[in-house]
Amino acid sequence: MFRFTTAGESHGRALVAILEGMPAGLPVDQEFINHELERRQWGYGRGGRMKIERDRAEILSGVRHGLTLGSPITLMVENKDWANWTEVMNAEPRDVPPEKSRRVKRPRPGHADLAGGQKYDTRDMRDILERASARETAARVACGALAKQLLVAFGVEVKSHVIQLGGLPDVPLEVTWEQITSIADDAPLRCTDMEAQALMVALVDEKKRAGDTLGGIFEVVARGVVPGLGSHTSWDTKLDGRLAQAVMSIPAVKAVAIGAGVRASSLPGSEVHDEIGYDETGRQFTRHTNRAGGLEGGITNGEELRVRGHLKPISTLRRALRSVDIDTKEEEAAAFERSDVTAVPAAGVIAESMVALVLASAMREKFGGDSLGEMRRNFDGYREQLRGY
Ligand SMILES: Cc1cc2nc3c(=O)[nH]c(=O)nc-3n(C[C@H](O)[C@H](O)[C@H](O)COP(=O)(O)O)c2cc1C
């Protein structure tokens, strides 16, 4: 079974992840994992954490001499800021004086603080925010980087870009794979349109000055996906549903759309469904358009997979919103600690990982095999079947 889990608090010693179900014999590029971790940290409008630490993953198990063993892979990303938090976050019982405890008692609207505090019956909402924080997604990206390496072995690439930020431009950008691949790694907002990006950057500056925050929309595109991943047969095998859950689980993502998604509901069928063609030379079916975003009936159809994630604005505002002190029940400004103005490009990178993990999982289900060689033989046999269809 292909699955992963993460552990770790935002200011704890480290984040860890265990990824199970990779085939044996896959070459692992550790620098690629670190590069992905850095990509998650970039982006205009992020807070100060990138300046403190540049994430690096250490592989603790499951890889030997550069190749996967087929056993669980453990990854660890240390929190370099731990040195400043050892008292506050220590696992041992200790008496930290109140002025040094960094207790959180003024919940932030839009964050997990209050609902989590009530649920877990803790009067220090740091117990909640330390895990709710998007820092946890660094561990997901480390796993996602391994999933991407498996996918690349089968010709699949996954990329993301920002198509709208704070409502700019009015209509979310629609761009080709080639345009997405031409985005420079250091583009401030991972956007294909320079003019739109300049407006977005100016808006981020304006909201930063005002102590406010912004949301936006990213799109993840996966290319080279074989037709036939996922299944129409049961609700939880439909790949669109699995992708939606994976992308929705990213903190602050509040809507997920596949292909034309939301827009499709207001258009007639003739402007939505992708007409079918056949390419004699390649012996494969084609589509004149791709509004379905590569999925029909919960099954990949061989077109580019296109998944959008809509982020709400960051909930920690420097110009804090109204809240209530949980001790006194008096109105107070919500708590504030170092925070991003926007994180849409980073969320796109995290979503690349989540999409890669879902696709890798679907590939493992369909093609099985204990080793990469066995998986490839099964894959090649299926490709042959498709050519004869
Ligand atoms: C990459 C990324 C960075 C984030 N950074 C912050 C941040 O600095 N401050 C903050 O309040 N929320 C931040 N968030 C959003 C919160 O983690 C999220 O809103 C919170 O955990 C509540 O979960 P929900 O919005 O999914 O309901 C970030 C989200 C992502 C994806």
Side-chain angles (χ1 to χ4, degrees), residues 40 46-47 108 110-112 132-134 137 248-254 311-317 337-341 343 346-347 350:
R40 191 200 72 94
R46 299 301 300 278
R108 292 161 299 169
H111 227 293
S133 156
T137 59
M248 183 73 94
S249 76
I250 298 169
V253 170
K254 292 297 139 194
L311 262 86
K312 71 183 186 185
I314 297 289
S315 29
T316 309
L317 274 69
E337 74 186 47
R338 186 186 56 213
S339 188
D340 301 327
V341 175
I350 299 159

Side-chain angles (χ1 to χ4, degrees), residues 2-6 17-20 136 139-140 143 354 357:
F2 187 93
R3 58 183 176 179
F4 78 100
T5 190
T6 74
I18 298 182
L19 175 65
E20 285 182 90
E136 178 267 339
R140 300 195 206 186
C143 291
M354 295 307 289
L357 284 156

Side-chain angles (χ1 to χ4, degrees), residues 342-356:
T342 192
V344 187
V349 173
I350 299 159
E352 287 175 33
S353 281
M354 295 307 289
V355 168

